Amino acid sequence: MSKAFRKGPPNRKNPKFTDKKMSNQQPNEKSLEIPIDPSVLLRHSRGERMDVRGVHTKLHKVHEKRKDINIEFAVQQAARAEILLQEEEGFLEADIGESTTNIAQRQIVENVDITTATKHFNLALDFGPYRTRYTRNGAYLLMGGKRGHVAAFDWVRKSLLCELNVMESVHDVTWLMNHTMYAVAQKNWVHVYDAKGTEIHCVKTMHRSVRLEYLPYHFLLNSAGENGFLSWMDVSIGESVGNYNTKMGKITVMTHNPWNAVTCVGGSKGVVSMWSPMVREPLAKMLCHPVQLTAIAIDPKGHHMATAGLDRKVKIWDIRKLEGPVETYHTNTAAAEIDLSQRGLLALSLGNVCEVYRRDKNLSEERMKPYIRHRTDGPISSLRFCPYEDILGLGTTKGFSSLIVPGSGEPNFDSYEANPYQTRSQRRETEVHSLLEKIPAEFIVLNPTQIDEVDVPTAKERLEQKVKLLTMKPPKIDFEPRKRNRVTKAKLVQIKQNVKEARFREAAKELREMKNKLLAEEPPAESSDFIPLESKSVLDRFKTKKKKKAAL
């Protein structure tokens, strides 16, 4: 046997003991650490560390510190993983002294790859004006003409799903959970169709709707009617969740906030009101313009809101703090439609002219500048950015136009959130997961991070409860004695009366003790921090006193 195998176990009690293999390491040698960009760490940050001064036991302090260490490690790993995201957004860059607004779509198509060039097309249709909507993954397009034409197709492959004419006016269209179902706001009711164009439901609780929105995480179909009513319907169970009168007249400007699922409605007085299906009154109101609003839009992250009014101004608001305007832009005419892309581009429709604004990040400018300008054959009635694509869809009175807008779409997508290359099996699996993870409508509030707070009763509720307790009377005692042999009726009546009186006295005593205890908890009328409504002075004796009513 060699000497290496006859060697005894190391002395673990001696802290200075080191193995021979470890002795070869240089004392000044350090492990290789790849630096991380602080801005990337800030983007993935989950907040500050927990303050453990309020934690009582040492075990829980160690547990919270270990949790913070794991969170920091996860943030660092997420920041390092960004190196795998090879795709970056592109943009147009003009020569010195030139502007990108002079670059036409024809020039862009000639200088891009074949795949991107095929995404620019025009459809000449005779049933406009058209309302358009893309799916969440940007793979399918839905169009609805005012004169009854409805079409759904895969706009990338140019593959038609269905096409029909409903033989009545169409005011708005929207996809539901995916491309297999969509809703159409027709003349009287909202109709639901499948991917083959077969009508599967008619929602008669949504009467004469002119605008439609769909909340994907809550499975709620939201509509705004000509009579000023807002309606919500849960499409997973087919039940109405809320139906309220906004008292704002005909609603033509409506959108929803993707961050908290609150519905934002623009009124004729320049006020944007925010609604939830669980509250009859608006959660908040913002005076955005002194005149009537023409369009509102919220970015996909739910951070900023863009509004346009008849005063020919476009304003950007911080919708999280309900503050602003952060930025204000002046236009030649009032913007009829407005939309914000995933990368922060702003698109406006000014009659038959579409303008796209972009902020140059390289120059770190605070204001956006005109980026692309395009003129169509007819007035623009709908304007939508396609998710995860550098495409802007325009619905006009004479058809549809697909414009290439470099840098508008998010180049890196999360396949668990929205997958543009989704297969049939993945779609079915996503449907099941979405139904299992459906968020109840009760959680739609302005700040979704505060839904876990304790429901504290208001002062009015406490006062009503106190008044009810003080005015409570002893309950009526109902007792019927058991009939026994050799007991006369007079004896039974006496037993019944004695038991009733005894129970009444006990209930009255308990109620009296409860009232005395409640009154003893009241603070004195004039405590140290009591501020009287009227100050007392020595001149109060000269005040006229109220005359007492004469006794009859």
Side-chain angles (χ1 to χ4, degrees), residues 471-479 499-512:
T471 56
M472 188 182 296
K473 295 181 180 180
K476 184 179 180 181
I477 306 299
D478 189 12
F479 173 74
V499 172
K500 277 188 175 185
E501 291 179 357
R503 292 186 179 179
F504 183 82
R505 284 193 297 269
E506 292 177 1
K509 183 179 179 182
E510 292 179 1
L511 190 60
R512 188 165 52 252

Side-chain angles (χ1 to χ4, degrees), residues 133 211-215 220-222 254-256 384:
R133 197 69 66 103
R211 288 293 178 266
L212 294 177
E213 289 289 338
Y214 179 69
L215 312 181
L220 293 180
L221 176 63
N222 184 206
M254 185 183 75
T255 187
H256 82 280
R384 297 280 179 179

Side-chain angles (χ1 to χ4, degrees), residues 129-142:
Y130 278 86
R131 301 286 300 177
T132 60
R133 197 69 66 103
Y134 289 97
T135 53
R136 290 181 61 205
N137 59 3
Y140 294 88
L141 174 65
L142 178 65

Side-chain angles (χ1 to χ4, degrees), residues 174-201:
T174 184
W175 293 103
L176 297 184
M177 65 283 298
N178 47 43
H179 68 275
T180 59
M181 292 177 63
Y182 58 90
V184 181
Q186 297 177 201
K187 181 180 179 181
N188 291 323
W189 322 110
V190 174
H191 298 258
V192 180
Y193 298 88
D194 63 1
K196 297 181 180 180
T198 305
E199 182 180 344
I200 57 179
H201 192 59

